[in-house]
Structure formats: structure tokens, C-alpha cells
């Protein structure tokens, strides 16, 4: 991508209506556009980051056998009444709308009901189970407060997966396998070492705990207590002596921290499948309940978390795996520099290296500042002076380390 063609622009002005660092930086760098509080559009470079995160999540869900679908945003009332989740006294953050004829519709905030309802068309016998089904799509929630940028949206991107199993034992295995996949997702996003499996409230339908995945951050809304040695944590909301005993945790081993919930997995037992009348028949021809799990990851929230955690006073610092480009190519000087930089740009592209080419007629300082604000992992500078010595300047965004490399060293690095 040539920066001269990119329709978004960076700005030095910190948006006055944003208090969250992730939103400030992402708006300043031209990655997202704010429509209203809690509702953000993704511009070309922002969409690339989001797609990269989606790609990692998708790969890891596919690796454990997840089958991808796309459920609908518009939801019929009747299936939600069967599980008693239509009533606003039960679920208070619905957006709802109406058809022209007055029929009420829900705007999808999660998708257990439609997934189970659709599964009812296909599941009959024990041979049809088990499976994981997942989607990556927008969710809509009428959140009370939306001041944290991508961390709390009213419209946001979630990956939600559901497992349907024939027995409790089969469910437990699927559940733990999904948790392992979750850890791999957080590792690949660079937040694995500060993301803890955290015991939390199990939701309205079970007495068991759920597992939250909490990424340590000062901006986190949740208070959690971490057991470093065991690499787990417990959410303050369930922190009682009785629960600590149940979980085999010792109050003295726990350290209080703040976390952002980047995922949450639940044991649903057979509450949804029973309520929506979806059963299977076992080998003896007897009708049996289907045991479910559900597994959410906040995809857009994770983009906000990474932006927030990996940034400095100059701007964003994307981990290589999700950066919108690997290299920010700066060109300084006249015709000779243009020719050299154009050539390098084409060659890097042909080798599959993603390059953001700053081919604008701007001052060097402006180009360097933009490369830092945008957080591209490596900056390569072509200038008249360097051409003479047949070198390229190579700067690593994370460390600020700069060196002059020969052509072959540059290509070896990239
Ligand atoms: P929270 O407690 O933060 O409101 P939740 O427990 O209601 O979240 P879940 O229903 O567990 O959220 O959704 C699964 C995941 O989706 C969460 O772990 C989180 O990462 C993400 N998520 C939930 N609500 C939002 C939101 N408003 N904006 C962005 N991501 C969200
Ligand atoms: Mg949750």
C-alpha cells in the first residue's frame, strides 16, 4: 500500500471526546472512525489488524474441529421466549426493533438460542454428535457505559463457539480442548503471559463456575486475584471462603490485580437444548439430553487491549503477527531515492513482505512520526546519503534500535 493513495490521515490532535488510550491512538493513527460512543468503524489499516486477529482465532478454532457458520443479527422472539431470555427483566441489554407489521425482533447479543434451534434440524441420533460450531460476527448490546473505546462497544466483534456433546464426560473433554485453544490464541496475540484463566460466576443456568480469560491491565474493569504459582485467578465477584476451598486456592497465595475480560467460557448443561426441544437418541434408541458449552472471545476488545498494552509515548506498537504491515518504507530525497525506494517496494512485495510505502512528499520528521504512531514493526529508510554507501537504515519500532544494513542483510532480516 502506498501512503499517498491511502484515504485516511493521521492526526497529532488527541480526540477530545475519548478518554481511553486505545481509542485515542487508533483514531489518531487512522485505524478506526468513531460513529458514536461505543460504535466504531474500521478503516483500511484497522480492518487489516482486525482481520489478522480474526485469522488467528479462526485457525485455532478450526484446529480443534470447529465448523464456522454465520448466524443472523435479526432474531425472532419465540426462540428466546423458550429459554426465558426475551424478557428485559432477565436480559437488560437487548436492542430490539420491529417489522413493518409490528412483529418484534431482537438484535443479536449472543447466539445460543439460534444455534440450538438450527441444530435441531440436523441432530437426531448419537451418530450426529459431538461437534463444535462457531462464528465471528457483530454483537449488539445496549451497554450502560461505553467510554473505553474498543474495550466496550455497543456494536462489537465477537467469536462465539458452541459445543454439543452426548454426555457430561464428552462435554468436559471438549471444554478443556477449547480452553487450550484459547490459550494458544492469547499466546499468538502476544498477551499470553499476562492472561489468566479466571474462575467466575457461571451465569443464570448453572451452579458451576465459568472461566474468564483476564488480561492484566490497569484499565481493566474487573478486579481479580491471581495465584502466580498455579497460573490461575479468581474473580472478586465469587471470592468467598467457600469458593476458595472448592477451587483449592489459598487466600495468602493470591495477589489483587485488574484485568480485562478477553474471553469467557461456560458450562450450559442441557438448559438450552432441553428448552428448545433438541435431543438425540442413543444406541439403545432412548431419548437423551445434549450437553452444551459456549465459548466467547472479544475479538474487537482484543484489538483494543493490544493497542492499549503495546504502545508508548510515540504511538502504537503492533506485534508482528497482527500488524497491518511488516515494514514502513520511508523515502527521503530526490529522483535517485524515488527510483531506489520504488524498486525496493516492488521487490519486498514480490517476496510476500507487506509494506506500507511512505511515498508522500512530506518532511522526514513527519514520516518518522507517522511510522511510530501507526506502530509498524520495522521501518526501512532509503535516502540519498544511504544510497551512496549502498545501505538501508533499519529501525525496530519496539526497541527503537537503529542500524545500517546492506541489501542482503536487509532481505535476510525481513
Ligand atoms: P462484560 O462483563 O465485559 O460486560 P460479558 O461477560 O457480558 O462482558 P460475554 O457475554 O461473556 O461478555 O461475551 C464474551 C466476550 O465478548 C467477553 O469475554 C468479552 O471479551 C467480549 N465482550 C463482551 N461485551 C463486550 C463489549 N461490550 N464490547 C467488546 N467486547 C465485549
Ligand atoms: Mg463474560
Amino acid at each position: 500500500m502506498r501512503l499517498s493513495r491511502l484515504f485516511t490521515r493521521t492526526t497529532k490532535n488527541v480526540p477530545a471526546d475519548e478518554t481511553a488510550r486505545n481509542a485515542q491512538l487508533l483514531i489518531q493513527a487512522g485505524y478506526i472512525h468513531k460513529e458514536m460512543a461505543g460504535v466504531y468503524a474500521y478503516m483500511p489499516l484497522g480492518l487489516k489488524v482486525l482481520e489478522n486477529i480474526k485469522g488467528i482465532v479462526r485457525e485455532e478454532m478450526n484446529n480443534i474441529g470447529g465448523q464456522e457458520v454465520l448466524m443472523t443479527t435479526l432474531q425472532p422472539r419465540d426462540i428466546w421466549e423458550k429459554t426465558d431470555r426475551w424478557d428485559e427483566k432477565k436480559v437488560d441489554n437487548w436492542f430490539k426493533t420491529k417489522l413493518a407489521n409490528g412483529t418484534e425482533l431482537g438484535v443479536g447479543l449472543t447466539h445460543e438460542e439460534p444455534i440450538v434451534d438450527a441444530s435441531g434440524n440436523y441432530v437426531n441420533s448419537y451418530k450426529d454428535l459431538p461437534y463444535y460450531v462457531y462464528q465471528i460476527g457483530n454483537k449488539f448490546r445496549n451497554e450502560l457505559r461505553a467510554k473505553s473505546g474498543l474495550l466496550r462497544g455497543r456494536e462489537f466483534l465477537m467469536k462465539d463457539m458452541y459445543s454439543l456433546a452426548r454426555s457430561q464426560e464428552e462435554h468436559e473433554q471438549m471444554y478443556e480442548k477449547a480452553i487450550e485453544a484459547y490459550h494458544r490464541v492469547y499466546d499468538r496475540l502476544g498477551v499470553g503471559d499476562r492472561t489468566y484463566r479466571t474462575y467466575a460466576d457461571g451465569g443464570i443456568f448453572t451452579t458451576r463456575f465459568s472461566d474468564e480469560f483476564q488480561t492484566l491491565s490497569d484499565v481493566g474493569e474487573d478486579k481479580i486475584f491471581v495465584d502466580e504459582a498455579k497460573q490461575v485467578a479468581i474473580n472478586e465477584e465469587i471470592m468467598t471462603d467457600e469458593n476458595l476451598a472448592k477451587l483449592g486456592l489459598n487466600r495468602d497465595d493470591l495477589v489483587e490485580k485488574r484485568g480485562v475480560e478477553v474471553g469467557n467460557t461456560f458450562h450450559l448443561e442441557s438448559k438450552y437444548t432441553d428448552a428448545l426441544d433438541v435431543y438425540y437418541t442413543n444406541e439403545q434408541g432412548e431419548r437423551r439430553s445434549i450437553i452444551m458449552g459456549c465459548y466467547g472471545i472479544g475479538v474487537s476488545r482484543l484489538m483494543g487491549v493490544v493497542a492499549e498494552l503495546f504502545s508508548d509515548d510515540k504511538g502504537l506498537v503492533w506485534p508482528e503477527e497482527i500488524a497491518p504491515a511488516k515494514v514502513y518504507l520511508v523515502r527521503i530525497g530526490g529522483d535517485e531515492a524515488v527510483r531506489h525506494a520504488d524498486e525496493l517496494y516492488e521487490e519486498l512485495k514480490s517476496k510476500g513482505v507487506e509494506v506500507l510505502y511512505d511515498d508522500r512528499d512530506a518532511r522526514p520528521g513527519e514520516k518518522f512520526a507517522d511510522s511510530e504512531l501507526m506502530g509498524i514493526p520495522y521501518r526501512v529508510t532509503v535516502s540519498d546519503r544511504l544510497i551512496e554507501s549502498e545501505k538501508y537504515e533499519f529501525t525496530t519500532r519496539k526497541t527503537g534500535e537503529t542500524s545500517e544494513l546492506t541489501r542482503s542483510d536487509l532481505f535476510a532480516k525481513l
Side-chain angles (χ1 to χ4, degrees):
M1 166 68 80
R2 285 173 180 263
L3 268 186
S4 62
R5 311 297 313 149
L6 185 68
F7 76 86
T8 55
R9 294 274 174 274
T10 60
T11 173
K12 288 195 189 67
N13 302 324
V14 180
D17 58 341
E18 290 286 1
T19 48
R21 178 95 177 126
N22 71 85
Q24 289 174 349
L25 286 171
L26 290 167
I27 289 170
Q28 283 184 265
Y31 283 80
I32 62 172
H33 167 74
K34 185 183 197 170
E35 292 285 341
M36 61 186 105
V39 182
Y40 296 90
Y42 294 83
M43 299 296 104
L45 298 180
L47 184 60
K48 281 212 99 171
V49 177
L50 194 69
E51 290 295 329
N52 289 342
I53 299 174
K54 276 165 74 173
I56 290 174
V57 171
R58 180 176 281 129
E59 251 176 57
E60 295 301 338
M61 297 310 116
N62 289 347
N63 268 343
I64 59 167
Q67 302 178 48
E68 188 170 1
V69 295
L70 184 58
M71 303 310 286
T72 65
T73 296
L74 296 179
Q75 286 294 311
R77 171 179 178 158
D78 62 318
I79 56 173
W80 296 84
E81 278 185 331
K82 288 183 182 158
T83 55
D84 197 19
R85 292 213 294 176
W86 180 259
D87 192 340
E88 265 138 64
K89 285 187 209 90
K90 298 281 162 54
V91 176
D92 63 4
N93 55 359
W94 271 111
F95 282 109
K96 287 178 183 168
T97 187
K98 281 196 179 88
L99 292 178
N101 69 9
T103 304
E104 268 193 289
L105 300 178
V107 179
L109 40 65
T110 178
H111 282 86
E112 285 81 4
E113 282 80 351
I115 287 279
V116 172
D117 187 52
S119 292
N121 290 337
Y122 312 113
V123 175
N124 290 303
S125 97
Y126 65 95
K127 291 179 192 152
D128 302 325
L129 294 166
Y131 58 84
Y132 291 106
V133 51
Y134 78 95
Q135 63 168 345
I136 305 175
N138 280 349
K139 300 279 189 261
F140 299 81
R141 294 185 183 180
N142 204 346
E143 303 279 1
L144 219 48
R145 275 172 299 277
K147 289 184 184 160
S148 312
L150 293 190
L151 302 189
R152 186 167 295 285
R154 294 195 165 102
E155 173 175 348
F156 61 95
L157 196 68
M158 192 201 285
K159 185 285 301 175
D160 45 323
M161 183 165 73
Y162 306 87
S163 60
L164 284 78
R166 292 168 293 197
S167 64
Q168 195 58 40
E169 192 189 352
E170 193 167 74
H171 162 75
E172 300 298 335
Q173 284 171 5
M174 293 179 87
Y175 188 86
E176 287 306 318
K177 201 160 125 185
I179 291 220
E180 284 166 26
Y182 269 44
H183 283 300
R184 285 194 292 274
V185 167
Y186 303 124
D187 284 345
R188 289 177 66 181
L189 291 172
V191 297
D193 57 342
R194 58 164 79 212
T195 301
Y196 290 85
R197 180 176 182 169
T198 304
Y199 301 109
D201 186 63
I204 47 180
F205 292 134
T206 172
T207 53
R208 287 179 71 172
F209 301 120
S210 76
D211 292 283
E212 291 178 343
F213 293 80
Q214 293 276 357
T215 304
L216 301 188
S217 165
D218 294 340
V219 302
E221 288 180 16
D222 294 342
K223 196 186 276 182
I224 64 168
F225 292 85
V226 176
D227 186 323
E228 263 307 326
K230 296 203 172 96
Q231 289 284 297
V232 295
I234 175 170
N235 195 310
E236 183 189 36
E237 64 184 15
I238 62 153
M239 178 95 153
T240 62
D241 287 334
E242 194 192 338
N243 283 340
L244 286 174
K246 248 196 232 173
L247 293 165
L249 295 173
N250 192 336
R251 209 174 262 271
D252 299 333
D253 301 333
L254 301 176
V255 184
E256 187 183 319
K257 303 268 183 186
R258 299 206 73 84
V260 180
E261 184 196 316
V262 293
N264 202 179
T265 62
F266 295 87
H267 302 279
L268 302 180
E269 304 178 358
S270 61
K271 293 299 186 306
Y272 290 87
T273 39
D274 289 354
L276 286 152
D277 204 26
V278 180
Y279 295 91
Y280 76 98
T281 45
N282 68 10
E283 285 166 74
Q284 287 73 45
E286 300 153 333
R287 193 175 88 148
R288 287 284 175 265
S289 283
I290 296 172
I291 313 297
M292 277 183 80
C294 81
Y295 315 84
I297 286 188
V299 175
S300 51
R301 179 176 285 183
L302 270 166
M303 178 168 162
V305 166
V306 172
E308 188 96 28
L309 288 175
F310 303 126
S311 60
D312 59 22
D313 54 343
K314 297 190 180 88
L316 297 156
V317 187
W318 294 116
E320 216 173 302
E321 199 163 357
I322 59 168
K326 186 170 184 178
V327 174
Y328 190 103
L329 176 59
V330 175
R331 163 186 105 190
I332 301 170
D335 293 348
E336 184 72 357
V338 171
R339 202 174 53 71
H340 251 81
D342 282 0
E343 194 189 299
L344 182 63
Y345 174 55
E346 294 302 332
E347 192 166 353
L348 286 169
K349 265 203 310 186
S350 76
K351 292 201 152 69
V353 180
E354 293 215 65
V355 184
L356 209 52
Y357 178 19
D358 197 341
D359 60 340
R360 300 171 302 173
D361 291 320
R363 285 176 295 105
E366 204 176 310
K367 295 187 178 191
F368 291 151
D370 274 349
S371 80
E372 285 163 346
L373 176 58
M374 288 184 186
I376 311 301
Y378 304 105
R379 183 171 74 214
V380 175
T381 304
V382 173
S383 72
D384 292 332
R385 177 183 67 81
L386 290 161
I387 291 168
E388 246 165 63
S389 58
E390 288 176 33
K391 291 267 175 68
Y392 300 88
E393 190 180 87
F394 183 86
T395 304
T396 304
R397 174 67 181 92
K398 202 161 129 187
T399 57
E401 233 175 286
T402 294
S403 54
E404 289 185 6
L405 300 181
T406 62
R407 191 181 178 79
S408 61
D409 284 348
L410 177 69
F411 277 87
K413 279 244 190 215
L414 295 174

